[in-house]
Amino acid sequence: MGEWNVIATAHENGFRRCRELLQRFGPVAGTRYFNVLVLLVEDIPLMLETLRLQAAAQPEVLRALSRVIPVSRRFDFQTPEGFADGARRIVLGLAPQLAGKAFHVRMHRRGFKGRLSSPEAERMLDDVILGQLEKVGTPGRISFDRPDAIVAVETLGTEGGLSLWTRAELDAYPFLGLD
Protein backbone atom coordinates (compact mmCIF):
# COMPACT_ATOMS: atom_id res chain seq x y z
CA MET A 1 0.00 0.00 0.00
CA GLY A 2 2.99 2.28 -0.01
CA GLU A 3 4.08 4.62 2.74
CA TRP A 4 1.41 5.82 5.14
CA ASN A 5 1.13 7.12 8.68
CA VAL A 6 -2.60 7.87 8.88
CA ILE A 7 -5.63 5.65 8.33
CA ALA A 8 -8.99 7.26 7.66
CA THR A 9 -12.40 5.72 7.30
CA ALA A 10 -15.35 7.36 5.62
CA HIS A 11 -18.99 7.16 6.58
CA GLU A 12 -21.41 5.63 4.10
CA ASN A 13 -21.41 7.71 0.90
CA GLY A 14 -18.65 9.93 2.27
CA PHE A 15 -15.61 8.39 0.56
CA ARG A 16 -15.13 11.09 -2.09
CA ARG A 17 -15.68 13.95 0.39
CA CYS A 18 -13.32 12.31 2.88
CA ARG A 19 -10.62 11.99 0.22
CA GLU A 20 -11.05 15.64 -0.79
CA LEU A 21 -10.91 16.75 2.84
CA LEU A 22 -7.67 14.86 3.54
CA GLN A 23 -5.66 15.36 0.33
CA ARG A 24 -4.41 18.77 1.43
CA PHE A 25 -2.43 17.07 4.22
CA GLY A 26 -0.50 14.69 1.95
CA PRO A 27 -0.83 11.95 -0.63
CA VAL A 28 -4.04 9.94 -0.15
CA ALA A 29 -4.61 6.40 -1.45
CA GLY A 30 -7.54 4.06 -1.41
CA THR A 31 -7.13 0.57 -0.02
CA ARG A 32 -8.74 -2.75 -0.80
CA TYR A 33 -10.88 -2.24 2.29
CA PHE A 34 -14.29 -0.59 1.98
CA ASN A 35 -14.27 3.15 2.79
CA VAL A 36 -10.68 3.02 4.10
CA LEU A 37 -8.01 5.48 2.97
CA VAL A 38 -4.36 5.84 3.92
CA LEU A 39 -2.26 8.94 3.71
CA LEU A 40 1.25 10.12 4.38
CA VAL A 41 1.19 13.30 6.45
CA GLU A 42 4.30 15.35 7.14
CA ASP A 43 2.85 17.40 10.02
CA ILE A 44 0.39 15.28 12.00
CA PRO A 45 -0.22 17.83 14.81
CA LEU A 46 -1.10 20.44 12.18
CA MET A 47 -3.50 18.00 10.46
CA LEU A 48 -5.21 17.13 13.75
CA GLU A 49 -5.61 20.76 14.76
CA THR A 50 -6.83 21.81 11.31
CA LEU A 51 -9.44 19.03 11.31
CA ARG A 52 -10.51 19.96 14.85
CA LEU A 53 -11.02 23.59 13.90
CA GLN A 54 -12.79 22.70 10.67
CA ALA A 55 -15.13 20.25 12.41
CA ALA A 56 -15.94 22.91 15.03
CA ALA A 57 -16.73 25.50 12.36
CA GLN A 58 -18.40 23.06 9.95
CA PRO A 59 -19.84 20.07 11.86
CA GLU A 60 -21.03 18.55 8.58
CA VAL A 61 -17.37 17.62 7.93
CA LEU A 62 -17.82 14.76 10.37
CA ARG A 63 -20.71 13.38 8.31
CA ALA A 64 -18.19 12.22 5.70
CA LEU A 65 -15.34 11.39 8.03
CA SER A 66 -15.77 8.47 10.42
CA ARG A 67 -12.27 8.16 11.88
CA VAL A 68 -8.82 9.60 11.28
CA ILE A 69 -6.06 7.85 13.21
CA PRO A 70 -2.37 8.64 12.84
CA VAL A 71 0.13 5.95 13.79
CA SER A 72 3.54 6.73 15.24
CA ARG A 73 5.16 3.32 14.60
CA ARG A 74 4.54 0.79 11.83
CA PHE A 75 5.51 -2.84 11.31
CA ASP A 76 4.88 -5.63 8.83
CA PHE A 77 3.81 -9.16 9.68
CA GLN A 78 2.89 -12.33 7.81
CA THR A 79 1.44 -14.46 10.60
CA PRO A 80 -0.52 -13.93 13.82
CA GLU A 81 2.71 -14.68 15.69
CA GLY A 82 4.52 -12.04 13.62
CA PHE A 83 1.78 -9.55 14.50
CA ALA A 84 2.14 -10.37 18.21
CA ASP A 85 5.93 -10.00 18.10
CA GLY A 86 5.86 -6.67 16.24
CA ALA A 87 3.07 -5.16 18.34
CA ARG A 88 4.64 -6.40 21.59
CA ARG A 89 7.97 -4.79 20.71
CA ILE A 90 6.29 -1.43 20.06
CA VAL A 91 4.04 -1.39 23.15
CA LEU A 92 7.02 -2.19 25.36
CA GLY A 93 8.52 1.06 24.10
CA LEU A 94 5.29 2.92 24.92
CA ALA A 95 4.95 1.43 28.43
CA PRO A 96 6.96 4.14 30.26
CA GLN A 97 4.43 6.75 29.11
CA LEU A 98 1.68 4.69 30.78
CA ALA A 99 3.35 4.43 34.20
CA GLY A 100 0.74 4.75 36.93
CA LYS A 101 -2.01 5.49 34.41
CA ALA A 102 -5.38 4.00 33.51
CA PHE A 103 -5.38 2.85 29.88
CA HIS A 104 -6.49 0.22 27.42
CA VAL A 105 -5.56 -1.02 23.97
CA ARG A 106 -8.07 -0.57 21.12
CA MET A 107 -7.51 -2.46 17.87
CA HIS A 108 -9.14 -1.96 14.46
CA ARG A 109 -8.28 -4.93 12.27
CA ARG A 110 -8.68 -5.03 8.52
CA GLY A 111 -7.75 -8.37 7.00
CA PHE A 112 -6.52 -11.55 8.66
CA LYS A 113 -10.17 -12.49 9.33
CA GLY A 114 -10.32 -15.72 11.27
CA ARG A 115 -6.58 -15.60 11.92
CA LEU A 116 -6.25 -12.58 14.18
CA SER A 117 -8.79 -11.67 16.86
CA SER A 118 -8.99 -8.00 17.85
CA PRO A 119 -10.25 -8.70 21.40
CA GLU A 120 -7.55 -11.32 21.99
CA ALA A 121 -4.83 -9.02 20.61
CA GLU A 122 -6.07 -6.15 22.78
CA ARG A 123 -5.98 -8.32 25.92
CA MET A 124 -2.53 -9.68 25.06
CA LEU A 125 -1.11 -6.17 24.57
CA ASP A 126 -2.84 -4.89 27.73
CA ASP A 127 -1.14 -7.73 29.62
CA VAL A 128 2.26 -6.97 28.06
CA ILE A 129 2.04 -3.34 29.15
CA LEU A 130 0.72 -4.18 32.63
CA GLY A 131 3.49 -6.74 33.10
CA GLN A 132 6.18 -4.28 32.06
CA LEU A 133 4.81 -1.54 34.32
CA GLU A 134 4.61 -3.94 37.27
CA LYS A 135 8.16 -5.13 36.58
CA VAL A 136 9.57 -1.60 36.85
CA GLY A 137 7.46 -0.67 39.89
CA THR A 138 5.05 1.75 38.19
CA PRO A 139 1.85 -0.27 37.89
CA GLY A 140 -0.95 0.89 35.64
CA ARG A 141 -4.50 -0.34 35.33
CA ILE A 142 -6.99 -1.14 32.60
CA SER A 143 -9.95 1.19 32.36
CA PHE A 144 -12.61 1.72 29.72
CA ASP A 145 -14.29 4.60 31.53
CA ARG A 146 -12.43 7.77 30.48
CA PRO A 147 -8.94 6.26 30.69
CA ASP A 148 -5.86 8.46 30.91
CA ALA A 149 -4.66 7.03 27.58
CA ILE A 150 -5.53 4.63 24.80
CA VAL A 151 -3.05 2.65 22.72
CA ALA A 152 -4.43 2.44 19.18
CA VAL A 153 -3.56 -0.55 17.01
CA GLU A 154 -4.50 -0.44 13.33
CA THR A 155 -3.98 -3.16 10.75
CA LEU A 156 -4.35 -3.21 6.98
CA GLY A 157 -3.74 -6.75 5.83
CA THR A 158 -0.15 -7.51 6.81
CA GLU A 159 0.73 -3.95 7.86
CA GLY A 160 0.29 -2.69 11.38
CA GLY A 161 0.59 0.64 13.11
CA LEU A 162 0.39 1.81 16.70
CA SER A 163 0.02 5.11 18.50
CA LEU A 164 -0.62 6.36 22.01
CA TRP A 165 -3.29 8.97 22.75
CA THR A 166 -3.67 10.88 26.01
CA ARG A 167 -6.99 11.88 27.55
CA ALA A 168 -6.41 15.50 26.48
CA GLU A 169 -5.88 14.39 22.85
CA LEU A 170 -8.88 12.07 22.93
CA ASP A 171 -11.06 14.93 24.17
CA ALA A 172 -9.64 17.42 21.64
CA TYR A 173 -9.90 15.11 18.61
CA PRO A 174 -13.11 13.09 18.76
CA PHE A 175 -12.60 12.03 15.14
CA LEU A 176 -9.87 9.67 16.37
CA GLY A 177 -12.81 7.41 17.18
CA LEU A 178 -11.12 5.48 19.97
CA ASP A 179 -13.55 5.95 22.89
Side-chain angles (χ1 to χ4, degrees), residues 18-63:
C18 188
R19 185 181 203 121
E20 290 167 0
L21 181 67
L22 297 172
Q23 67 188 3
R24 66 182 156 163
F25 302 113
V28 178
T31 69
R32 63 183 181 181
Y33 302 99
F34 183 70
N35 278 348
V36 178
L37 297 160
V38 292
L39 56 155
L40 184 60
V41 175
E42 188 171 318
D43 190 339
I44 287 176
L46 177 63
M47 178 197 73
L48 292 171
E49 192 58 19
T50 301
L51 287 174
R52 183 188 70 77
L53 292 171
Q54 187 170 0
Q58 301 170 302
E60 67 276 5
V61 164
L62 297 181
R63 282 196 283 265

Side-chain angles (χ1 to χ4, degrees), residues 76-99:
D76 294 319
F77 59 96
Q78 299 300 316
T79 64
E81 297 78 21
F83 166 82
D85 291 343
R88 185 180 296 114
R89 191 171 39 257
I90 293 170
V91 298
L92 284 171
L94 297 175
Q97 297 172 67
L98 297 168

Side-chain angles (χ1 to χ4, degrees), residues 106-139:
R106 176 65 65 222
M107 180 170 167
H108 288 91
R109 178 194 53 76
R110 295 160 197 88
F112 262 63
K113 186 176 181 176
R115 297 182 62 203
L116 190 58
S117 163
S118 295
E120 288 176 17
E122 290 170 350
R123 281 190 296 275
M124 180 269 297
L125 294 171
D126 281 337
D127 289 344
V128 167
I129 296 166
L130 288 171
Q132 180 64 21
L133 293 175
E134 189 68 36
K135 180 178 167 182
V136 299
T138 57

